[in-house]
Amino acid sequence: MEKNTHQFQTEVRQLLDIVIHAFYSDREVFVRELVSNASDALEKLRLRQLTESAVHEPERDLRISITTDEEAHTLCIQDAGIGMTQDEVVEYLGTIAHSGTKKFLEAMKESQGGAQDLIGQFGVGFYSVFMAADKVEVTTRSWQPEAKAVKWTSDGQEGYELEEAPADTPRGTSILIHLKEDAQIFSRAEHVRYVLNKYSNFVGFPIDFNGEHLNTVQAIWMKNKKDVTAEEYEGFFKFISHSEEAPLTHMHFSADAPIVLNALLYVPTENPEAMGFGRCEPEVSLYCRKVLIDSKPEKLLPEWLRFLVGVVDSEDLPLNISREMLQDNSLLRKISGIITNRFIKHLEGLAKTEPESYEKFWATFSRYIKEGVVTSWEHKAQLGKLLRFQSTFTEEGKLTSLADYVGRMKENQKDIYVLYGPNRSQLEHSPYLDALKARGFEVLFLMDGGDQFVMDALMKFDDKDIKSIDRADLELPEVADATPDAPCLEAAEAEGLATWVGDTFKDRFSKVSTSDRVTSAPAIALQGAGDVAPEVRAYLKAMGQEVPESHPEIAFNPRNPVVMKLAELRKTDTELATLLADQLVNTALLRAGMLEDPSTLAENSQQLLEKLLAR
Ligand code: ADP
Ligand code: MG
């Protein structure tokens, strides 16, 4: 092969431009990135050795060698891993193949500036080497017996050069880094040793540093909890998540039956989907006896747990399991069930022992838990215990669990009551609360988009039905009239009014009545018994699906002066009474989120005002 020049993909050039020019205080992360690539390459080779018959240089030790040369101002990181063929070099070291790097670029476009923070957050993989290098030489030979060795050289500007490497190049990859003038500290043995010591014990392969053995290889997830320190837990998280931040919480557990299982799972501090990038990929790797089988198995955990980072190791898995087999494997499903259960229990425990950590968890990850309620039928009851809401009994911003709510339920209270709305102040002024307040019942405020789906899926908690208080079929116990002497429509008048409104707006309402469910407004609109909740209706509509017709009910407040006036007016001035009634029912529908076309309300108001002023 002739030596030839290749251009970097445009995105790579953009990325390199940022990486090279960013003043980045933690630039030592590039060492971690390269060591982690070396370790990945060795993991992949180890698995190949178990599953393929022919591997180049099968007897070669699986280790990483790192050497510094202070005089030449170089650092070299070498591994005996799977290496790369020429095509692979072009793909992996010439384009953006790595998802973390893609995210980094997207995040850069979102935020103006701030590259340094972002580099720390995502790790930009191989290309981070150009934070410290003005020239990099990668010499690599694939594990495949016939593959030729290649050499890739670049200054991290426009492109790179490819040429054939000597035939005796050993299997694996060697990265020779020529350091920039201001980065020459990375050719000093003490400094590199210091950097490597931070995480080298989490690398699953021996590291030789300037000919000396450096690390103790240990899979901390296989160890006994008692033998792992807090620093080790944190260090391992930083290593596998490529991040500089400590995790929010971790769960470490092992089981012997029914499946031999070791798992170490972390919740990061930040929501990986927060900054507007799409769904994150699963970051829990699957091992069998410390051998990595799949670093991003799709079906290992349910989707709603995709924010977790960590390791699951089971010696019951066959080592030669293929990705396809992983997709549909009953053992994997069992493992998934066990871990999911344990993790939910871990969170329940966290809520009890470290309420502040749980609050933080909830503030960041609540939507994943809610997604779990909607999508994980078998776990939803358990997940119900993790939900938190504000309520009529909590202070603004404070949250309660469903269990605590149930603990406060009144003796004559059968159901759990909820009310949906955009914010607390709107909910606090809702006339639907009147009847519940009169009975001293607590109502949960559900203010997140999607909450109606969550509650529809949950349906019950602790055997108690969850009921939205804007529904017509709410069954409330009788309550003594708090103001028996206040003026009120006579029973016959009330019935006459209800019948008249029903007839006037033929077919619009399934029922019109007067009721003590409303005391603070003239009227409320209630969802009919079989009606689809407003949020679900809006969703169906947005999805272009057919929205089932709704049949709201109207309940008038027989003590409201406007309603009392309406009862008279309908006998003397039908036209004005109709306008007034229209105004009252439309306002009620609007508050209930059930008014299809708000402009009718505006038009009607105008007519009503004109008519009143002309009197
Ligand atoms: P990531 O490791 O997240 O995939 P990187 O940017 O660190 O992203 O590396 C890009 C790709 O380059 C890797 O996925 C791998 O295929 C290849 N690669 C990098 N370093 C090595 C290495 N030492 N041995 C073999 N392949 C490597
Ligand atoms: Mg990498």
Side-chain angles (χ1 to χ4, degrees):
M1 179 178 74
E2 293 278 302
K3 180 166 178 165
N4 50 37
T5 310
H6 298 247
Q7 287 266 307
F8 282 125
Q9 189 193 30
T10 320
E11 285 79 9
V12 176
R13 256 180 292 157
Q14 287 171 354
L15 176 76
L16 285 169
D17 193 50
I18 296 164
V19 169
I20 291 170
H21 294 111
F23 163 76
Y24 188 58
S25 51
D26 276 335
R27 69 171 160 193
E28 67 186 41
V29 298
F30 87 88
V31 181
R32 184 190 64 196
E33 292 294 333
L34 297 185
V35 171
S36 112
N37 283 350
S39 159
D40 292 349
L42 288 162
E43 297 269 20
K44 288 178 197 159
L45 186 90
R46 183 158 60 182
L47 189 60
R48 280 274 142 67
Q49 278 185 319
L50 291 164
T51 54
E52 312 264 344
S53 51
V55 166
H56 186 64
E57 294 182 308
E59 68 294 341
R60 225 180 136 72
D61 270 359
L62 300 190
R63 47 197 323 125
I64 300 171
S65 312
I66 301 174
T67 45
T68 52
D69 185 336
E70 210 168 332
E71 257 149 49
H73 306 303
T74 57
L75 169 67
C76 183
I77 299 178
Q78 189 174 8
D79 66 71
I82 48 162
M84 287 175 270
T85 62
Q86 187 187 332
D87 290 347
E88 286 168 344
V89 171
V90 170
E91 183 181 345
Y92 299 141
L93 308 186
T95 65
I96 304 255
H98 163 54
S99 61
T101 314
K102 265 185 216 147
K103 280 198 174 171
F104 171 80
L105 271 183
E106 282 166 35
M108 276 303 296
K109 282 176 199 150
E110 293 273 313
S111 77
Q112 333 279 341
Q116 16 274 50
D117 295 347
L118 293 172
I119 293 176
Q121 216 173 319
F122 298 106
V124 286
F126 171 78
Y127 299 111
S128 63
V129 69
F130 289 106
M131 292 196 286
D134 50 25
K135 183 175 153 196
V136 176
E137 297 172 64
V138 178
T139 311
T140 181
R141 178 196 195 107
S142 164
W143 64 278
Q144 300 172 55
E146 320 76 52
K148 288 205 169 110
V150 257
K151 182 169 166 192
W152 175 104
T153 312
S154 175
D155 58 4
Q157 304 281 333
E158 296 297 312
Y160 54 93
E161 283 171 356
L162 273 187
E163 64 195 295
E164 201 169 310
D168 60 356
T169 302
R171 182 196 70 220
T173 303
S174 151
I175 299 180
L176 180 62
I177 301 152
H178 299 268
L179 294 159
K180 286 185 198 175
E181 213 169 293
D182 63 355
Q184 285 174 2
I185 189 167
F186 291 101
S187 65
R188 295 216 344 237
E190 321 81 87
H191 185 68
V192 177
R193 181 193 298 276
Y194 156 81
V195 173
L196 287 171
N197 271 335
K198 290 191 193 170
Y199 52 78
S200 61
N201 284 350
F202 303 122
V203 178
F205 299 90
I207 299 179
D208 292 331
F209 181 59
N210 289 340
E212 211 181 294
H213 184 64
L214 186 81
N215 61 335
T216 5
V217 174
Q218 48 173 2
I220 78 166
W221 64 92
M222 299 297 273
K223 292 172 84 171
N224 197 313
K225 259 192 238 189
K226 294 196 301 286
D227 303 328
V228 186
T229 64
E231 289 74 37
E232 285 175 314
Y233 278 127
E234 189 173 319
F236 183 61
F237 170 75
K238 288 180 174 172
F239 180 64
I240 58 172
S241 68
H242 299 240
S243 112
E244 299 297 306
E245 290 187 44
L248 192 77
T249 173
H250 73 261
M251 175 185 88
H252 186 182
F253 95 101
S254 22
D256 289 325
I259 296 170
V260 183
L261 204 56
N262 288 276
L264 176 53
L265 300 175
Y266 294 91
V267 178
T269 3
E270 303 287 337
N271 172 3
E273 292 178 2
M275 296 170 90
F277 353 103
R279 279 174 106 70
C280 59
E281 288 184 14
E283 295 283 353
V284 176
S285 314
L286 185 63
Y287 283 73
C288 168
R289 281 178 242 200
K290 304 188 204 169
V291 175
L292 180 67
I293 297 195
D294 192 341
S295 61
K296 294 177 191 290
E298 296 265 321
K299 292 278 157 70
L300 177 56
L301 294 176
E303 288 226 5
W304 59 270
L305 281 175
R306 63 189 178 277
F307 58 93
L308 289 177
V309 177
V311 171
V312 171
D313 193 315
S314 172
E315 61 177 65
D316 292 338
L317 281 169
L319 264 176
N320 59 353
I321 191 164
S322 67
R323 288 207 107 184
E324 293 67 45
M325 281 164 74
L326 280 176
Q327 295 279 323
D328 185 39
N329 179 284
S330 63
L331 182 64
L332 214 60
R333 272 198 298 279
K334 274 190 208 137
I335 292 177
S336 169
I338 295 171
I339 293 176
T340 306
N341 254 315
R342 290 296 293 250
F343 182 68
I344 297 173
K345 289 215 178 88
H346 172 79
L347 290 176
E348 269 179 57
L350 188 72
K352 287 201 187 94
T353 55
E354 292 177 45
E356 273 169 32
S357 299
Y358 188 75
E359 253 172 54
K360 253 175 114 181
F361 169 80
W362 182 252
T364 315
F365 295 100
S366 60
R367 60 197 186 89
Y368 296 89
I369 301 300
K370 290 178 179 180
E371 187 183 319
V373 174
V374 177
T375 57
S376 260
W377 178 84
E378 67 277 33
H379 296 294
K380 72 176 184 189
Q382 229 187 324
L383 283 170
K385 298 183 196 165
L386 299 178
L387 300 174
R388 297 291 182 273
F389 302 105
Q390 296 195 39
S391 85
T392 45
F393 283 17
T394 65
E395 280 169 48
E396 169 128 41
K398 291 271 183 296
L399 303 172
T400 178
S401 66
L402 286 166
D404 288 345
Y405 175 101
V406 169
R408 288 188 294 265
M409 277 171 70
K410 295 277 176 305
E411 230 164 71
N412 60 345
Q413 180 180 351
K414 260 179 34 210
D415 302 319
I416 294 170
Y417 298 113
V418 302
L419 182 60
Y420 302 95
N423 56 55
R424 183 166 177 121
S425 69
Q426 201 160 318
L427 288 171
E428 274 176 339
H429 295 108
S430 168
Y432 295 113
L433 291 177
D434 298 349
L436 287 297
K437 278 190 194 149
R439 289 160 179 82
F441 294 170
E442 182 174 4
V443 177
L444 296 171
F445 290 150
L446 274 54
M447 303 183 284
D448 274 350
D451 277 348
Q452 273 180 3
F453 293 90
V454 177
M455 289 318 199
D456 279 0
L458 194 60
M459 286 192 311
K460 278 173 185 291
F461 181 82
D462 197 9
D463 268 344
K464 296 176 177 62
D465 287 337
I466 297 169
K467 295 248 168 96
S468 170
I469 60 167
D470 62 355
R471 298 199 67 94
D473 52 8
L474 206 62
E475 284 168 33
L476 292 170
E478 290 292 328
V479 69
D481 193 340
T483 50
D485 300 330
C488 182
L489 279 183
E490 297 288 326
E493 282 292 292
E495 211 183 308
L497 173 68
T499 312
W500 175 77
V501 173
D503 290 346
T504 307
F505 302 105
K506 254 197 300 297
D507 301 335
R508 268 185 84 185
F509 307 112
S510 55
K511 186 178 164 193
V512 179
S513 63
T514 56
S515 158
D516 74 344
R517 276 185 68 176
V518 51
T519 52
S520 67
I524 48 173
L526 300 165
Q527 291 182 56
D531 281 2
V532 176
E535 189 176 6
V536 182
R537 297 176 67 79
Y539 174 80
L540 290 174
K541 205 167 160 187
M543 297 304 282
Q545 292 187 29
E546 202 180 317
V547 185
E549 214 175 291
S550 65
H551 307 277
E553 295 187 10
I554 294 289
F556 281 104
N557 170 3
R559 293 224 158 103
N560 181 278
V562 181
V563 174
M564 294 175 70
K565 184 78 190 167
L566 178 65
E568 264 171 49
L569 208 58
R570 73 171 175 95
K571 297 177 201 152
T572 53
D573 187 343
T574 332
E575 204 188 332
L576 182 61
T578 306
L579 279 172
L580 182 58
D582 202 25
Q583 179 77 14
L584 295 183
V585 300
N586 280 338
T587 308
L589 287 168
L590 181 77
R591 286 187 108 160
M594 292 192 250
L595 189 64
E596 299 287 329
D597 178 8
S599 70
T600 55
L601 181 65
E603 244 165 64
N604 168 269
S605 298
Q606 202 168 331
Q607 283 176 22
L608 180 65
L609 286 174
E610 278 166 16
K611 183 97 184 153
L612 284 172
L613 291 173
R615 258 159 78 99

